[in-house]
Every structure is written in structure tokens, then in C-alpha cells.
């Protein structure tokens, strides 16, 4: 969702803010703005510049020599109020002395707005956020931190807030409740941002704020306190990501770069976690003893979107390989359906960002009922990672494109290791464990080979991208991959696509089949191959074009399909890795062909921090 960055220090604030917002643009890109304090002019309102559209529009509007060493910026993903200059952040109070930026949703803003309007406070925007600026102004008696804290008492909802006041040059105050904020500790300068990518160019020393905490910062110092006015001892963490990891490095967009990074990112997810000698996994972060793990009778996965698809694959593996009953739940459904927590269950919250509100709230609900929740996250220090009782970091590196690709295959890798861990505690033999690991070790190389289908997939995208509807069909462990292929195509090319279990099409969706509706078949190399071939024939018999993905030597499938994508042969249990890559490429090339903004598709934002 929205991105926030704040800066106080000796350097030109506007430049650092706009550059930081550019890094955060993947979080929201309908409008953006900055507010910068005027140097040496205590009492002069901060200068606010806002623009609708991309950060490039804002950059153009900000004078290159804009003075000022303290300020904040915001890139917006609209929730309350349309995409207009007035609704863009920062928002100010009537005097212009208070400026704020806000992520999250203030649920009681209508009541607060009504109350403020009765007192004669004029509103300029339709946002929920503007009330914060007016509340801070009303509560201000010479101390911005105290004014913000007094204002927070009136707010219901979620927030990451940053504010400045004209009478306190160089001071930034921030507060967090449900929307991430990270302090960046520099050398004689401080930053505050909604995620670390905005500050990576300036510092790697960070402090993650917890819900209920307020931070006050000046260039040389910062202080964190909690809701009870107690001072919090900050824990400084070191960000392991390199700056290059958030550059495009010669690729046309982040999604393309991230697709091609997968051999390396999968390698990172599994390396150091394979005990070849004993044929088992080494997952030190689970924080559960072997005895506790042995006592687990069922697994539940909580996730959203692509992470849910990874969970669906993971659950099939846990059942088939480890013989543990497992089910993946949509986080947004689980929280509100009064779930029964069965004994001896272990929950996994799966999230690339570690900030997805649906997943976070569902996980909290499970924990509140006494369930044990472990995390499978990419972003170190994210809220879900910190609130989990243990888990697995997938180490994909920063994922900037809105459409998730490399995080998905790394999440899969984590599930393969987990399935092995559980399997080796139950029925899987030492020898079978070693064979499983040998196949897993081959995955990065198989994915590298698979990437060679690039040009072929590009040609297919050219051929098919003008079709309005697609079906993606898979069975067994490839059914979630069909769902993922359809989601990728929808979100970045805006072509309607449905993912379906191939055996299910004759129960309804086959009515959609026509020469205008191509079907993408994922043909497994196992006992489900023949059934899938029958399903392909059913579609062909009704005039539907078929694109089939199968082992490269599968001549029968190649002869039936209109178009065939041959993939390196792997152990069928590991086909999710090789099958998903061409689907990612297909979505990418269709989007490119149709002139879509691949990294920043319409209406979407990375890291969905509102429900
Ligand atoms: C799709 C996509 C989303 C996310 C979902 C969960 O490409 O990126 O569906 O997978 O919003 O996000 P995380 O994994 O950050 O919890």
C-alpha cells in the first residue's frame, strides 16, 4: 500500500525524499507528495508539493535546488477519496504549520471530521488521513510528540504516521499501529520509512517500530516510547540486502529481473538447509524441538494471493510426502469465520512482505485462541516474521515488482524442506530422504534450463495476447500452479483468466470453451498424465486452442496440443518449479505486448496493508 519516507540531517531533504519515494513507488503509485521544513525560519509552514501520477511527475515539480534539511514524503494507493492533488499526502492543518503523512485507515474519521468541523476546522480533502493533521494542531502546545500522542488517543484503525511542525525545526515524530515504520540510523542523520528499500542507499542500521510505539528524531538522536510513556530500548538491526538488489541491473523491468533471478533465489532458499548425509532438512528457525514437531498432527497454512498458492502446493506435499493432513486457508476468510483450532495443529503464516493485513490479522486470531503460528516470510524484521513463534526466511532478496514471482518459488522451496522435515520424522526412509534432497538440489539448475523457453514463450504471447479469456488447467500438485498462472496473467496483462482443476472442467467451465478461449494445460509426468491428456482432448474436440506444458520428450502431448512448451524433465513432485516459470514469462510477455505497466499494474499495490 502507500509508502512513507522521512529525513532529517545535513543533506538536501527534497532529493532524499523523492529518491526514497521512487524506491517505494511499488507500494502505491496514484499520487505522491513531500513536505519540507524551511531552513532557519522557525514558524514558517513547511513547503508542500503534491502531484497525481507517478513519482516522475513529482520529481519534475520539485525545484532542483529546493532548500530544507528535514521533511517527509508519501506515495499513495487510494483508499478514501479519489486520485486528486488535494487527496495526495502530505496533509496540513489550517495554519499549514503541521504536516502529516499516513498509511493505514482511520476507521472513525467521519465522527472525528464531524466533531472538528463543528469547531470550525476547514477540510480540503476527502481522505481519512486529514483529521490527523487537524487533531495534532489542536493538541499542540509546543511539543509535537505530546501533541501526536494526545491525538492518537482519538484514532481508531491502523496507522503509520509521520509528522513535522513548523515550530520544531529538524524534528520528525512518527507513530505506528498496524502499518510498518522503520527508523534508519545514519551518521548524523536519521530516516523513517515504511520499508527499508527507501533508506538502503543511506544506511543499513535500522530499528523496527512495534505497534503502539512513537519515535521522535533529530539528526543526531532518536527516542522511542510506548503507549504508556515508557522509554523503549531500541534494538538496532543490520539490513543484509545490497543496494544492487533493488536496481533493475539491465533488465527492462523488475518483474523480468525477478523471474530470471529464480535459479539464484531458490538456491539461497535451500542452501545450508540440506543435510545430505542424513537425508533430512535443517530448519533451525522453527524453534520447536524434534519432540514437539513429532507431536504435530496437522498443518494449516494462512496466506493470501500468490502466497496462498504456494501454501496449496505445500499442503499437497505435506500430505503426500509427509502424510500429515494439511490445508491452506485464505487469510481474509479465516479470520472472520470463527475457526475451530484442532489440537496438535501447527499454523504457518506465509507472506512475502510479512505485512499483509489479512494474513497478519488471521494469524493474530489463531494465536489469540492459543494456536502456534510459524512464519514463512521473505522480508526480515517484517511484522508477521516478528509476531511468529519461529519459522523460515526464504531469502529471495527484495521483490519490487507488484506481481510476485521469485518469492513464490522460494516459498515453494521452504515447503519442500518442511515436507522433508516432517516426512523424515514419520515414514520416509533415510534413502528416500536422500533421493528427495538430491531432486531438490537439482531444482535451481532445472529452473535455469527452463528459462531458455523465453523466446518461444514470447512468440506464444504475441500469438495469443489478444484473446480476452484463458483457462489454466492442472491436476494434483499442478492445480495451484494453474491458479498462479491465471493470477499472473490477470494482474499484469488485465486479460481474464481462470485457473481450474483439469478434472473439474467438464462440470461446468467447459461451456466457456470456444476457438476464442485458449486453454493452458500443465501436464504432469506422473500417474495423472493420461487423465490430463484426456482432458486436453475434450477441449480440442470442442474447438478450443490448447497450449500444453509437459516434459520436453513428451511427443504425444506435443502432437495433440496446438502449441507445446517442452520443459526439462524433473521428478514429478518438483514440477511446480519448472511449470510456473513459463507461466510467469507468458504473463510478462502478454503484458509487454499489450503495452501494460508490468511492474505497476493498475489498481494494485505491493504489500496490502489494509483489509
Ligand atoms: C500476486 C501477489 C499477491 C500477493 C498477496 C500476498 O502476484 O503478489 O497476490 O501474493 O498480496 O502478499 P504477501 O505474500 O506479501 O503476503
Amino acid at each position: 500500500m502507500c509508502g512513507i519516507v522521512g529525513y532529517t540531517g545535513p543533506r538536501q531533504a527534497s532529493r532524499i525524499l523523492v529518491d526514497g519515494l521512487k524506491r517505494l513507488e511499488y507500494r502505491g503509485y496514484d499520487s505522491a507528495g513531500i513536505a519540507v521544513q524551511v531552513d532557519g525560519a522557525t514558524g514558517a509552514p513547511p513547503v508542500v508539493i503534491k502531484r497525481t501520477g507517478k513519482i516522475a511527475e513529482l520529481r519534475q515539480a520539485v525545484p532542483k535546488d529546493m532548500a530544507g534539511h528535514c521533511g517527509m514524503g508519501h506515495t499513495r494507493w487510494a483508499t478514501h477519496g479519489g486520485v486528486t492533488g488535494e487527496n495526495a499526502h502530505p496533509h496540513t492543518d489550517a495554519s499549514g504549520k503541521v504536516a502529516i503523512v499516513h498509511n493505514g485507515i482511520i476507521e472513525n474519521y467521519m465522527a472525528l471530521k464531524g466533531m472538528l468541523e463543528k469547531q470550525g476546522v476547514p477540510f480540503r480533502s476527502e481522505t481519512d488521513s486529514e483529521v490527523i493533521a487537524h487533531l495534532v494542531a489542536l493538541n499542540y502546545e509546543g511539543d509535537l510528540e505530546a501533541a501526536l500522542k494526545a491525538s492518537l488517543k482519538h484514532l481508531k484503525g491502523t496507522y503509520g504516521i509521520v509528522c513535522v511542525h513548523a515550530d520544531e525545526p529538524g524534528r520528525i515524530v512518527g507513530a505506528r499501529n498496524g502499518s510498518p515504520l522503520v527508523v534508519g540510523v545514519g551518521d548524523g542523520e536519521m530516516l523513517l520509512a515504511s520499508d527499508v528499500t527507501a533508506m538502503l542507499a543511506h544506511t543499513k542500521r535500522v530499528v523496527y517500530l512495534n505497534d503502539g510505539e512513537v519515535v521522535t528524531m533529530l539528526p543526531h538522536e532518536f527516542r522511542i516510547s510506548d503507549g504508556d510513556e515508557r522509554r523503549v530500548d531500541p534494538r538496532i538491526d543490520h539490513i543484509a540486502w545490497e543496494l544492487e538488489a533493488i536496481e533493475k541491473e539491465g533488465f527492462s523491468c523488475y518483474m523480468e529481473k525477478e523471474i530470471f533471478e529464480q535459479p539464484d533465489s531458490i538456491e539461497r532458499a535451500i542452501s545450508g538447509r540440506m543435510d545430505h548425509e542424513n537425508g533430512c532438512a535443517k530448519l533451525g528457525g522453527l524453534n520447536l524441538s524434534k519432540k514437539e514437531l513429532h507431536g504435530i498432527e496437522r498443518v494449516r497454512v494462512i496466506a493470501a494471493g500468490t502466497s496462498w498458492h504456494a501454501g496449496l502446493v505445500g499442503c499437497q506435499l505435506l500430505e503426500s510426502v509427509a502424510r500429515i493432513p494439511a490445508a491452506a486457508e485464505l487469510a481474509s476468510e479465516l479470520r472472520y469465520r470463527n475457526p475451530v483450532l484442532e489440537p496438535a495443529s501447527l499454523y504457518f503464516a506465509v507472506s512475502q512482505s510479512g505485512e499483509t493485513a489479512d494474513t497478519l490479522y488471521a494469524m493474530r486470531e489463531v494465536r489469540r485462541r492459543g494456536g502456534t503460528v510459524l512464519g514463512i516470510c521473505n522480508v526480515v524484521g517484517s511484522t508477521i516474521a516478528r509476531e511468529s513463534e519461529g519459522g523460515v526466511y526464504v531469502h529471495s532478496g527484495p521483490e519490487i515488482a507488484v506481481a510476485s514471482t521469485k518469492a513464490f518459488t522460494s516459498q515453494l522451496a521452504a515447503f519442500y524442506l518442511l515436507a522433508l522435515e516432517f516426512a523424515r520424522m514419520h515414514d520416509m526412509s533415510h534413502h528416500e530422504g536422500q533421493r528427495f534432497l538430491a531432486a531438490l538440489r537439482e531444482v535451481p539448475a532445472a529452473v535455469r534450463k527452463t528459462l531458455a523457453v523465453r523466446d518461444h514463450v514470447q512468440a506464444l504471447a504475441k500469438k495469443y495476447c489478444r484473446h480476452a479469456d484463458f483457462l489454466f488447467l492442472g491436476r494434483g500438485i499442478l492445480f495451484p500452479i494453474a491458479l498462479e498462472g491465471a493470477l499472473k496473467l490477470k494482474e499484469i496483462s488485465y486479460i481474464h483468466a481462470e485457473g481450474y482443476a483439469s478434472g473439474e472442467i467438464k462440470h461446468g467451465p467447459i461451456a466457456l470453451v470456444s476457438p476464442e478461449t485458449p486453454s493452458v494445460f500443465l501436464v504432469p509426468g506422473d500417474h495423472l498424465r493420461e487423465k490430463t491428456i484426456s482432458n486436453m482432448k475434450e477441449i480440442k474436440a470442442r474447438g478450443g486452442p490448447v497450449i500444453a506444458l509437459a516434459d520436453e520428450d513428451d511427443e504425444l502431448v506435443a502432437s495433440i496440443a496446438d502449441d507445446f512448451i517442452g520443459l526439462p524433465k524433473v521428478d514429478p513432485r518438483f514440477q511446480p518449479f519448472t511449470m510456473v516459470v513459463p507461466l510467469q514469462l507468458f504473463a510478462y510477455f502478454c503484458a509487454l505486448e499489450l503495452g501494460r505497466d508490468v511492474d505497476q499494474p493498475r489498481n494494485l499495490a505491493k504489500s496490502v496493508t489494509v483489509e
Side-chain angles (χ1 to χ4, degrees), residues 316-324 418-424 426-428:
Q316 290 209 29
L317 271 178
L318 283 158
E319 291 211 347
S320 62
V321 176
R323 309 300 300 144
I324 297 224
L418 274 173
L420 178 64
E421 176 81 0
F422 280 109
R424 289 284 288 120
H426 299 285
D427 297 334
M428 189 186 265

Side-chain angles (χ1 to χ4, degrees), residues 304-307 351-353 356 402-404 487-488 491 608:
T306 289
S307 296
S351 174
Q352 184 284 127
S353 61
T356 299
V402 165
S404 184
L487 176 61
K488 285 288 93 84
E491 65 182 332
V608 185

Side-chain angles (χ1 to χ4, degrees), residues 270 274-281 317 321 416-417 419-420 423-424 428-443 570-574:
I270 59 177
M274 296 181 285
D275 176 353
H276 296 285
E277 190 171 337
N278 294 305
C280 53
L317 271 178
V321 176
Y416 279 75
L417 289 164
L420 178 64
R424 289 284 288 120
M428 189 186 265
S429 69
H430 174 236
H431 175 61
E432 186 40 37
Q434 284 183 325
R435 280 187 43 200
F436 189 88
L437 270 187
L440 181 59
R441 204 177 41 218
E442 292 304 315
V443 166
V570 294
D571 176 332
R573 293 173 298 182
F574 292 80

Side-chain angles (χ1 to χ4, degrees), residues 124 128 226 237 261 267 283 403 415 547 582 587 592 599 605:
R124 294 185 208 102
D128 53 331
D226 66 14
D237 282 300
E261 262 180 81
E267 185 73 57
L283 292 167
F415 274 114
I547 305 166
L592 214 59
D599 283 341

Side-chain angles (χ1 to χ4, degrees), residues 354-376:
E355 301 294 349
T356 299
D358 291 322
T359 309
L360 178 62
Y361 298 154
M363 151 186 187
R364 284 181 180 159
E365 179 66 17
V366 169
R367 291 198 67 194
R368 205 185 53 72
R369 291 169 184 236
T372 302
V373 185
L374 306 186
I376 297 182

Side-chain angles (χ1 to χ4, degrees), residues 14-323:
S14 60
R15 185 174 291 241
I16 290 175
L17 297 176
V18 176
D19 287 349
L21 291 179
K22 184 70 196 151
R23 300 277 188 204
L24 293 177
E25 196 168 28
Y26 71 114
R27 295 184 66 109
Y29 31 86
D30 58 44
S31 51
I34 60 170
V36 176
Q37 288 184 332
V38 181
D39 272 347
T42 304
V47 177
V48 177
I49 303 175
K50 313 200 254 191
R51 285 295 179 275
T52 55
K54 299 276 176 87
I55 302 300
E57 310 288 329
L58 178 69
R59 198 186 285 282
Q60 280 228 318
V62 174
K64 289 215 171 5
D65 55 353
M66 184 177 184
H69 297 91
C70 172
M72 64 208 177
H74 185 271
T75 174
R76 180 169 185 248
W77 187 85
T79 56
H80 292 63
V83 180
T84 64
E86 288 74 36
N87 289 340
H89 298 220
H91 293 288
T92 53
D93 72 314
S95 72
K97 286 185 151 198
V98 176
I100 68 103
V101 292
H102 165 232
N103 283 356
I105 291 180
I106 304 303
E107 287 160 8
N108 61 336
Y109 86 99
M110 291 292 281
L112 292 171
K113 190 170 176 177
M115 185 263 288
L116 289 161
E117 277 175 336
K118 272 197 196 127
Q119 295 178 37
V121 173
F123 275 78
R124 294 185 208 102
S125 77
E126 304 154 306
T127 66
D128 53 331
S129 310
E130 190 183 338
V131 293
I132 304 167
H134 297 298
L135 282 173
V136 171
L138 278 180
N139 286 304
Y140 189 75
E141 289 171 357
D143 180 344
L144 182 58
E145 181 181 339
L148 180 59
K149 282 181 170 166
S151 306
L152 297 181
K153 294 201 170 88
H154 299 278
L155 304 183
K156 281 203 189 112
T158 55
Y159 50 78
I161 299 170
V162 176
C163 57
V164 295
H165 194 289
D167 294 345
E168 297 183 52
R171 183 182 300 280
I172 295 181
V173 182
R176 169 190 166 137
N177 182 41
S179 240
L181 271 187
V182 191
V183 177
V185 184
D187 201 3
E189 59 186 8
M190 295 285 169
L191 294 109
L192 187 57
S194 49
D195 80 59
V196 297
T197 50
M199 50 178 78
L200 209 49
H202 310 295
T203 182
K204 290 192 163 188
R205 300 169 69 223
V206 298
V207 179
Y208 298 99
L209 291 191
N210 293 309
D211 280 349
E213 290 180 349
V214 172
V215 62
T216 299
M217 52 175 57
L218 289 162
H220 290 279
E221 61 187 49
F222 70 101
R223 186 179 65 235
I224 299 174
S225 54
D226 66 14
D228 298 323
E229 298 295 331
R230 280 186 303 246
R231 208 177 163 128
V232 175
D233 274 340
R235 199 188 93 171
I236 298 190
D237 282 300
H238 191 85
I239 314 168
W241 290 348
E242 296 302 327
L243 191 57
E244 301 81 71
I246 55 172
E247 307 286 1
K248 287 189 196 147
E249 292 182 313
F251 287 94
S252 68
C253 63
Y254 284 108
M255 184 179 179
E256 187 191 16
K257 176 188 174 213
E258 289 160 9
I259 291 173
F260 280 88
E261 262 180 81
Q262 291 178 105
D264 295 331
S265 52
I266 297 169
E267 185 73 57
R268 281 198 298 276
I270 59 177
S271 76
R273 289 170 165 169
M274 296 181 285
D275 176 353
H276 296 285
E277 190 171 337
N278 294 305
C280 53
K282 289 191 285 186
L283 292 167
L286 298 183
N287 293 344
L288 292 172
S289 67
K290 293 278 175 205
K291 205 167 179 164
E292 285 168 319
L293 281 173
H294 197 266
I296 299 300
E297 287 173 13
R298 60 190 68 74
V299 165
R300 295 284 178 261
V301 170
I302 317 168
T306 289
S307 296
W308 179 62
H309 296 158
L312 290 172
V313 173
C315 289
Q316 290 209 29
L317 271 178
L318 283 158
E319 291 211 347
S320 62
V321 176
R323 309 300 300 144

